[in-house]
């Protein structure tokens, strides 16, 4: 267990308040969710506001639960201001990748902090690759980088197969945002932890190779 930083609490409170408003007001929800049609109509703020809306309380809980466990890692390394930069860069990265992959699907829509949270998770893994992590349903710990790479590869599979009602592209875009911004803030990782930097880059390279080949 660890103490929550004020900036993490503020992010959580914003997500809870906006999500509750969305749960009870469908007009508000539909106006601010990520929507290809809406963004094409000039409502570019949806790329940001959608990251504070959630489908239901369980969706909200899992995102905030994940943020609770990994926000402090990033804050301890970079401080609250850079944490916020990583969070919002990841949120927008998720929206931009979703826009790129779904630009020809006018009725595609999505909500959730998953892109931002995945960016914080991926940044935390880059900063502390050997921290032990386990899946909710498997009580066995793995080094963080193993689960990070596995999750990204699953996201590629999900994007390719459209598996489940999940915004895999937003998750992947968020991870890219977290990875790139953490390296921007701490470029010495490229020389001090080259192996981890390369390993975590492999799924990103695979995604864009598949996209160039028209396989996704």
């Amino acid at each position: 267990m660890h103490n929550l930083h004020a900036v993490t609490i503020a992010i959580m409170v914003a997500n809870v308040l906006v999500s509750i408003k969305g749960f009870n007001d469908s007009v508000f929800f539909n106006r601010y969710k990520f929507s290809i049609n809406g963004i094409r109509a000039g409502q570019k703020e949806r790329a940001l506001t959608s990251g504070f809306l959630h489908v239901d309380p369980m969706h909200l809980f899992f995102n905030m639960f994940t943020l609770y466990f990994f926000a402090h890692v990033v804050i301890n390394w970079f401080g609250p201001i850079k944490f916020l930069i990583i969070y919002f860069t990841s949120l927008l990265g998720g929206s931009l990748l979703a826009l790129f992959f779904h630009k020809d699907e006018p009725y595609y829509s999505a909500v959730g902090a998953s892109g931002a949270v995945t960016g914080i998770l991926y940044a935390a893994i880059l900063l502390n690759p050997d921290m032990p992590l386990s899946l909710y349903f498997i009580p066995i710990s793995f080094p963080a980088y193993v689960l990070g790479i596995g999750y990204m590869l699953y996201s590629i599979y999900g994007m390719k197969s459209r598996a489940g009602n999940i915004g895999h592209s937003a998750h992947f875009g968020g991870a890219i945002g977290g990875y790139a911004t953490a390296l921007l803030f701490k470029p010495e990782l490229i020389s001090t932890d080259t192996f981890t930097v390369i390993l975590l880059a492999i799924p990103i390279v695979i995604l864009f190779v598949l996209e160039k080949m028209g396989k996704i």
Side-chain angles (χ1 to χ4, degrees), residues 150-172:
Y151 181 77
M152 292 284 273
L153 293 175
Y154 169 71
S155 293
I156 292 175
Y157 165 78
M159 292 167 68
K160 185 174 175 60
S161 65
R162 302 300 177 94
N165 188 27
I166 301 171
H168 295 286
S169 53
H171 295 182
F172 206 102

Side-chain angles (χ1 to χ4, degrees), residues 133-150:
L133 296 181
S134 60
L135 299 173
Y136 297 121
F137 48 87
I138 302 177
I140 301 173
S141 294
F142 300 90
Y145 70 88
V146 173
L147 288 185
I149 292 169

Side-chain angles (χ1 to χ4, degrees), residues 15 39 69 77 84 86-87 97 105 126 130 142 145 172:
N15 272 278
I39 291 173
F69 276 107
W77 277 80
L84 284 174
I86 293 173
Y87 185 92
L97 199 68
E105 303 169 46
L126 179 64
D130 293 319
F142 300 90
Y145 70 88
F172 206 102

Side-chain angles (χ1 to χ4, degrees), residues 5 9 14 17-18 29 34 40 48 53 55 107 115 152 168 201:
H5 193 282
I9 295 173
L17 293 178
V18 175
F29 183 90
F34 180 90
R40 283 180 174 175
L48 178 64
L53 289 166
V55 172
Y107 297 105
M152 292 284 273
H168 295 286

Side-chain angles (χ1 to χ4, degrees), residues 122 150 177:
Y122 218 62

Side-chain angles (χ1 to χ4, degrees), residues 156 160 205-216:
I156 292 175
K160 185 174 175 60
V205 173
I206 290 173
L207 175 71
F208 286 103
V209 169
L210 288 174
E211 193 279 327
K212 284 293 184 183
M213 295 172 63
K215 302 290 187 181
I216 194 170

